[in-house]
PDB file of all heavy atoms in Angstrom:
ATOM      1  N   ALA K 314     -12.397   5.123  -2.805  1.00 98.00           N
ATOM      2  CA  ALA K 314     -13.549   5.957  -3.103  1.00 98.00           C
ATOM      3  C   ALA K 314     -13.940   6.817  -1.916  1.00 98.00           C
ATOM      4  O   ALA K 314     -14.248   7.997  -2.024  1.00 98.00           O
ATOM      5  CB  ALA K 314     -14.711   5.103  -3.523  1.00 98.00           C
ATOM      6  N   HIS K 315     -13.867   6.232  -0.694  1.00 98.00           N
ATOM      7  CA  HIS K 315     -14.206   6.994   0.495  1.00 98.00           C
ATOM      8  C   HIS K 315     -13.154   8.090   0.752  1.00 98.00           C
ATOM      9  O   HIS K 315     -13.478   9.146   1.246  1.00 98.00           O
ATOM     10  CB  HIS K 315     -14.271   6.038   1.679  1.00 98.00           C
ATOM     11  CG  HIS K 315     -15.486   5.193   1.677  1.00 98.00           C
ATOM     12  ND1 HIS K 315     -15.628   4.047   2.455  1.00 98.00           N
ATOM     13  CD2 HIS K 315     -16.635   5.240   0.963  1.00 98.00           C
ATOM     14  CE1 HIS K 315     -16.814   3.491   2.222  1.00 98.00           C
ATOM     15  NE2 HIS K 315     -17.434   4.190   1.310  1.00 98.00           N
ATOM     16  N   LEU K 316     -11.880   7.779   0.371  1.00 97.00           N
ATOM     17  CA  LEU K 316     -10.841   8.801   0.594  1.00 97.00           C
ATOM     18  C   LEU K 316     -11.056   9.979  -0.357  1.00 97.00           C
ATOM     19  O   LEU K 316     -10.897  11.135   0.012  1.00 97.00           O
ATOM     20  CB  LEU K 316      -9.462   8.160   0.329  1.00 97.00           C
ATOM     21  CG  LEU K 316      -8.258   9.067   0.648  1.00 97.00           C
ATOM     22  CD1 LEU K 316      -8.231   9.516   2.071  1.00 97.00           C
ATOM     23  CD2 LEU K 316      -6.966   8.282   0.329  1.00 97.00           C
ATOM     24  N   ILE K 317     -11.456   9.692  -1.592  1.00 98.00           N
ATOM     25  CA  ILE K 317     -11.782  10.763  -2.552  1.00 98.00           C
ATOM     26  C   ILE K 317     -12.969  11.604  -2.022  1.00 98.00           C
ATOM     27  O   ILE K 317     -12.977  12.781  -2.108  1.00 98.00           O
ATOM     28  CB  ILE K 317     -12.080  10.179  -3.941  1.00 98.00           C
ATOM     29  CG1 ILE K 317     -10.794   9.624  -4.590  1.00 98.00           C
ATOM     30  CG2 ILE K 317     -12.686  11.260  -4.857  1.00 98.00           C
ATOM     31  CD1 ILE K 317     -11.038   8.964  -5.915  1.00 98.00           C
ATOM     32  N   ALA K 318     -14.001  10.863  -1.520  1.00 98.00           N
ATOM     33  CA  ALA K 318     -15.157  11.566  -0.999  1.00 98.00           C
ATOM     34  C   ALA K 318     -14.763  12.489   0.147  1.00 98.00           C
ATOM     35  O   ALA K 318     -15.207  13.633   0.242  1.00 98.00           O
ATOM     36  CB  ALA K 318     -16.195  10.547  -0.507  1.00 98.00           C
ATOM     37  N   LYS K 319     -13.883  12.007   1.058  1.00 98.00           N
ATOM     38  CA  LYS K 319     -13.437  12.855   2.154  1.00 98.00           C
ATOM     39  C   LYS K 319     -12.737  14.079   1.649  1.00 98.00           C
ATOM     40  O   LYS K 319     -12.954  15.185   2.139  1.00 98.00           O
ATOM     41  CB  LYS K 319     -12.502  11.965   3.045  1.00 98.00           C
ATOM     42  CG  LYS K 319     -11.894  12.741   4.232  1.00 98.00           C
ATOM     43  CD  LYS K 319     -11.092  11.749   5.082  1.00 98.00           C
ATOM     44  CE  LYS K 319     -10.403  12.478   6.247  1.00 98.00           C
ATOM     45  NZ  LYS K 319      -9.230  13.260   5.775  1.00 98.00           N
ATOM     46  N   LYS K 320     -11.825  13.891   0.649  1.00 97.00           N
ATOM     47  CA  LYS K 320     -11.076  14.999   0.111  1.00 97.00           C
ATOM     48  C   LYS K 320     -12.031  15.993  -0.557  1.00 97.00           C
ATOM     49  O   LYS K 320     -11.869  17.242  -0.443  1.00 97.00           O
ATOM     50  CB  LYS K 320     -10.033  14.507  -0.849  1.00 97.00           C
ATOM     51  CG  LYS K 320      -9.152  15.615  -1.468  1.00 97.00           C
ATOM     52  CD  LYS K 320      -8.404  16.419  -0.417  1.00 97.00           C
ATOM     53  CE  LYS K 320      -7.412  15.572   0.351  1.00 97.00           C
ATOM     54  NZ  LYS K 320      -6.560  16.454   1.296  1.00 97.00           N
ATOM     55  N   ALA K 321     -13.003  15.481  -1.269  1.00 98.00           N
ATOM     56  CA  ALA K 321     -13.983  16.370  -1.964  1.00 98.00           C
ATOM     57  C   ALA K 321     -14.715  17.218  -0.950  1.00 98.00           C
ATOM     58  O   ALA K 321     -14.892  18.399  -1.145  1.00 98.00           O
ATOM     59  CB  ALA K 321     -14.914  15.554  -2.809  1.00 98.00           C
ATOM     60  N   TYR K 322     -15.147  16.597   0.137  1.00 98.00           N
ATOM     61  CA  TYR K 322     -15.846  17.357   1.181  1.00 98.00           C
ATOM     62  C   TYR K 322     -14.940  18.402   1.791  1.00 98.00           C
ATOM     63  O   TYR K 322     -15.370  19.524   2.060  1.00 98.00           O
ATOM     64  CB  TYR K 322     -16.445  16.427   2.237  1.00 98.00           C
ATOM     65  CG  TYR K 322     -17.799  15.848   1.863  1.00 98.00           C
ATOM     66  CD1 TYR K 322     -18.014  14.483   1.814  1.00 98.00           C
ATOM     67  CD2 TYR K 322     -18.857  16.702   1.521  1.00 98.00           C
ATOM     68  CE1 TYR K 322     -19.247  13.956   1.488  1.00 98.00           C
ATOM     69  CE2 TYR K 322     -20.131  16.171   1.195  1.00 98.00           C
ATOM     70  CZ  TYR K 322     -20.306  14.792   1.158  1.00 98.00           C
ATOM     71  OH  TYR K 322     -21.511  14.278   0.828  1.00 98.00           O
ATOM     72  N   GLU K 323     -13.708  18.032   2.043  1.00 98.00           N
ATOM     73  CA  GLU K 323     -12.719  18.993   2.623  1.00 98.00           C
ATOM     74  C   GLU K 323     -12.553  20.201   1.732  1.00 98.00           C
ATOM     75  O   GLU K 323     -12.297  21.313   2.233  1.00 98.00           O
ATOM     76  CB  GLU K 323     -11.406  18.281   2.875  1.00 98.00           C
ATOM     77  CG  GLU K 323     -11.397  17.282   3.993  1.00 98.00           C
ATOM     78  CD  GLU K 323     -10.103  16.532   4.114  1.00 98.00           C
ATOM     79  OE1 GLU K 323      -9.202  16.712   3.248  1.00 98.00           O
ATOM     80  OE2 GLU K 323      -9.980  15.760   5.074  1.00 98.00           O
ATOM     81  N   LEU K 324     -12.643  20.009   0.411  1.00 97.00           N
ATOM     82  CA  LEU K 324     -12.455  21.082  -0.541  1.00 97.00           C
ATOM     83  C   LEU K 324     -13.727  21.794  -0.930  1.00 97.00           C
ATOM     84  O   LEU K 324     -13.722  22.595  -1.832  1.00 97.00           O
ATOM     85  CB  LEU K 324     -11.743  20.498  -1.768  1.00 97.00           C
ATOM     86  CG  LEU K 324     -10.324  19.992  -1.560  1.00 97.00           C
ATOM     87  CD1 LEU K 324      -9.796  19.306  -2.838  1.00 97.00           C
ATOM     88  CD2 LEU K 324      -9.375  21.126  -1.110  1.00 97.00           C
ATOM     89  N   GLY K 325     -14.829  21.443  -0.255  1.00 98.00           N
ATOM     90  CA  GLY K 325     -16.029  22.203  -0.418  1.00 98.00           C
ATOM     91  C   GLY K 325     -17.146  21.610  -1.246  1.00 98.00           C
ATOM     92  O   GLY K 325     -18.079  22.300  -1.674  1.00 98.00           O
ATOM     93  N   ALA K 326     -17.127  20.282  -1.450  1.00 98.00           N
ATOM     94  CA  ALA K 326     -18.201  19.676  -2.232  1.00 98.00           C
ATOM     95  C   ALA K 326     -19.553  19.866  -1.525  1.00 98.00           C
ATOM     96  O   ALA K 326     -19.656  19.765  -0.290  1.00 98.00           O
ATOM     97  CB  ALA K 326     -17.934  18.164  -2.381  1.00 98.00           C
ATOM     98  N   LYS K 327     -20.582  20.100  -2.304  1.00 98.00           N
ATOM     99  CA  LYS K 327     -21.961  20.214  -1.753  1.00 98.00           C
ATOM    100  C   LYS K 327     -22.414  18.837  -1.289  1.00 98.00           C
ATOM    101  O   LYS K 327     -23.014  18.721  -0.224  1.00 98.00           O
ATOM    102  CB  LYS K 327     -22.867  20.748  -2.822  1.00 98.00           C
ATOM    103  CG  LYS K 327     -24.344  20.843  -2.377  1.00 98.00           C
ATOM    104  CD  LYS K 327     -25.207  21.373  -3.517  1.00 98.00           C
ATOM    105  CE  LYS K 327     -26.654  21.393  -3.100  1.00 98.00           C
ATOM    106  NZ  LYS K 327     -27.519  21.922  -4.207  1.00 98.00           N
ATOM    107  N   GLN K 328     -22.200  17.840  -2.151  1.00 98.00           N
ATOM    108  CA  GLN K 328     -22.579  16.480  -1.837  1.00 98.00           C
ATOM    109  C   GLN K 328     -21.778  15.508  -2.672  1.00 98.00           C
ATOM    110  O   GLN K 328     -21.452  15.808  -3.839  1.00 98.00           O
ATOM    111  CB  GLN K 328     -24.100  16.272  -2.199  1.00 98.00           C
ATOM    112  CG  GLN K 328     -24.649  14.946  -1.863  1.00 98.00           C
ATOM    113  CD  GLN K 328     -26.137  14.825  -2.108  1.00 98.00           C
ATOM    114  OE1 GLN K 328     -26.823  14.053  -1.462  1.00 98.00           O
ATOM    115  NE2 GLN K 328     -26.649  15.573  -3.097  1.00 98.00           N
ATOM    116  N   VAL K 329     -21.454  14.377  -2.091  1.00 98.00           N
ATOM    117  CA  VAL K 329     -20.766  13.290  -2.867  1.00 98.00           C
ATOM    118  C   VAL K 329     -21.734  12.118  -3.037  1.00 98.00           C
ATOM    119  O   VAL K 329     -22.251  11.605  -2.017  1.00 98.00           O
ATOM    120  CB  VAL K 329     -19.466  12.827  -2.124  1.00 98.00           C
ATOM    121  CG1 VAL K 329     -18.833  11.711  -2.913  1.00 98.00           C
ATOM    122  CG2 VAL K 329     -18.522  14.023  -1.969  1.00 98.00           C
TER     123      VAL K 329
END
Side-chain angles (χ1 to χ4, degrees):
H315 288 164
L316 187 58
I317 291 176
K319 177 174 177 288
K320 181 59 63 175
Y322 276 125
E323 289 174 355
L324 295 173
K327 177 182 179 180
Q328 182 177 209
V329 178

